[in-house]
Amino acid sequence: MEKHILSKSTFLRGLQCAKSLYLYKNFIQLRDKQSAETTAIFNRGNNVGILAQKLFPGGVDATPAKRSDNILAVEKTQQLIESGAEVIYEAAFQHNGVLAILDILVKKNNEWYAYEVKSSTKISKTYLLDAALQYWVITNYGLPLADISLIIINNQYTRDGNLELDKFFAVKTVKQEALQQQEMIEEKVYQSKLVIANPEQPKVAIGEHCFIPYHCDFMGVCWKNVPVNSVFEITGIPKSEQFALYNAGYKTISEIPFKNNLGANANAHVQAVQTDEEKIDKTAISTFLSKINYPLFFMDFETFMPAIPIYNKTKPYQHIPFQFSLHYKKDKESELQHFYFLAEQGLDPRKAFIENLLKHTETEGSILVYDALMERNILNGLKKDFPAHTPEIDLRLNRIIDLMIPFQNKSYYHPAMKNSFSIKNLLHALVPDLSYSDLMISSGSIAMTAYEHLQKETDLLKIIEVREHLHEYCKLDTLSMVKIFEKLEEVVKEK
Ligand code: SF4
């Protein structure tokens, strides 16, 4: 058997874009460097595949000692089938140069059933294509399948005591969908092989396909001539509209004619970039500030979202709060103080989290949060977990004021915000001296992954180091809010 030409992932890459497949096979060194954010998402602890094997216990793993030896994996799978194995994990098959490694293969009543595990709660179009390719490879290899199913996570499941696998997982047959795609798969495999064999790079212009279904990792190659302040920086309009402008010859925002109507938010950004001016509505900002009362609390939560609910009365992917930062200012003249909480790893953090938060926010005064939806949801969730604390939590909820409002309302707009109101964009535009760039943990996703990994970390020095980075990150979030609040106060005072 010859080494495979296409795998599931390269096949799907070719479906998204022939040029991406060509570059991947011939110039992989040109791939974009993965961002820390993306790496964090990929590294999220997620043993869903291993857990799903327990639905079919007693299986044999076909993975060879040298994991990358796929030919050996196919041979081992064949040997297992011939020797009468009835449950095979990581079963490998190859047909016509295409390799497919299936999560679980099961023999029942002398018929074979294929299962592919996804750590998602929904079946996407890509998962259906993935299953259709598996079906094509396995059945053409010579193993008829009575059915092929996706095993996904049931997002309605709430853990109550021991994890109940039959309720946590949902098994959905996708055989009909796979059968409908077989001709297309055959044709696309043929075309993909031509792309790979062709010495010439396919000519593909940039387009919406660069983002669907995945953000392509060759944008550094294809997008290198897209200028700064391009029309792709106009957020709040569909990609199709951005490309319509670009393909009509308007490469930068400055080139867009004034008569173009892109909707209120996008127009505001276009106008700000074209005039290079901040827009400040002092009356609206003053009205917003007049609702804020000292003492002030600047509050931010960090959460993590285990796919497998590890604590009782939690659902898959539920946000579990593990950390908060609070900057506190008693009155206008007083010194800024900082309080924080970071849960001990390995324990359910919710009880200690809410008790500490209530203790540190006892007094009157406004609680400022940036983009308050998540914090409100967490507090409402904690009311259900700890009903005795409901009255106190309600008092905190009533004191929350969302610091994002004046920016979202465009009472204060700066061209560098690029129509995005993330705290990082705001900081970059309004307080450029303060930045997340020097931090080891520089986003909520990275914090989430770091805390998740701490659950199993045993190296004490590593634990201390990660906890220190988590402190720094969450502290900067609330310090940024303080600076943004001060900026609002400053601009209303200016003549
Ligand atoms: S950036 Fe776009 S055009 Fe270039 S390879 Fe990726 S998907 Fe294709």
Side-chain angles (χ1 to χ4, degrees), residues 17 63 70 76 106 198 202 378 382-383 389 418 435 472 477:
C17 174
T63 309
N70 294 310
K76 192 170 169 190
V106 178
N198 194 333
I378 292 294
L382 288 167
K383 286 198 293 191
H389 287 310
K418 298 187 178 176
S435 155
E472 281 178 18
D477 267 347

Side-chain angles (χ1 to χ4, degrees), residues 16-21 23 204-207 209-211 214 216-223:
Q16 179 168 349
C17 174
K19 185 175 175 183
S20 173
L21 174 63
L23 290 171
V204 183
I206 60 170
H209 58 271
C210 298
F211 305 93
Y214 302 114
C216 179
D217 48 8
F218 284 107
M219 292 189 61
V221 175
C222 305
W223 285 65

